[in-house]
Amino acid sequence: DATTDLPSAFVCVGCVDKDGITQSVKETRVEEQDMRGVDVYDELSDLSITYKMKIMETSANSDKIIWGKDSVTVGADGSWATRNVPVREEGVWVWETLLKNGMINRTVVPRGKVNAVGDISKKPGEVRKPEITLKALADDTGTPSYDYYAEAE
């Protein structure tokens, strides 16, 4: 649902920049027509959902989702190092959006995996905002993502 507190196992990896999150849906359909050209069959054969966003956070947790947890080494003092050999893991992704009409939207991706990282600009005085693309993989019911809505409290 859109209002239950998330378990403590969920880790915040930062804010998303002002452009928000872009959901892309790609459907592949099998369509058949009879000899008169009349559509007689239409079935969804493949559904692909991705989410593109820029994460405004420079932390070990954000680097772990970008590069994979085994690509990030955290020192005893909290500093970390990354190697750019991505071995990314699947994980549960959740984000919430406060909508203009006083509603809250919670999106849950039960099986998500970062499958692309865009350019990462590093400039003095600017926030690092790596763009990532998250692939929503189907769960055991065949559903790649869920959207829940409720009145904002």
Side-chain angles (χ1 to χ4, degrees):
D1 66 46
T3 59
T4 302
D5 289 340
L6 295 173
S8 61
F10 284 85
V11 177
C12 179
V13 294
C15 297
V16 174
D17 85 334
K18 65 180 169 62
D19 293 332
I21 299 169
T22 301
Q23 178 188 34
S24 297
V25 179
K26 180 181 175 189
E27 294 181 354
T28 303
R29 305 196 71 81
V30 175
E31 299 172 342
E32 297 289 337
Q33 297 177 334
D34 67 12
M35 64 182 152
R36 298 170 297 161
V38 176
D39 291 334
V40 295
Y41 183 80
D42 182 352
E43 182 176 295
L44 181 66
S45 65
D46 185 46
L47 175 66
S48 175
I49 297 178
T50 59
Y51 297 91
K52 193 175 279 192
M53 65 194 87
K54 290 181 183 174
I55 297 178
M56 297 179 59
E57 180 78 13
T58 303
S59 70
N61 285 334
S62 65
D63 276 3
K64 285 178 183 179
I65 64 158
I66 295 166
W67 304 113
K69 67 180 179 182
D70 292 338
S71 296
V72 178
T73 305
V74 180
D77 62 353
S79 64
W80 72 95
T82 62
R83 58 186 157 99
N84 298 342
V85 182
V87 180
R88 301 179 186 109
E89 300 82 18
E90 285 184 25
V92 178
W93 286 69
V94 179
W95 57 86
E96 295 175 346
T97 307
L98 183 60
L99 304 175
K100 191 172 186 175
N101 61 359
M103 300 289 288
I104 189 165
N105 165 227
R106 178 180 283 177
T107 300
V108 178
V109 178
R111 292 183 57 222
K113 186 173 184 177
V114 173
N115 70 353
V117 176
D119 294 339
I120 301 174
S121 177
K122 299 176 185 180
K123 296 179 184 175
E126 289 189 9
V127 175
R128 183 185 80 155
K129 297 187 286 187
E131 181 179 77
I132 63 168
T133 301
L134 176 72
K135 171 77 172 171
L137 305 168
D139 65 8
D140 57 357
T141 69
T143 306
S145 66
Y146 299 85
D147 281 296
Y148 302 98
Y149 298 88
E151 294 284 335
E153 296 177 9

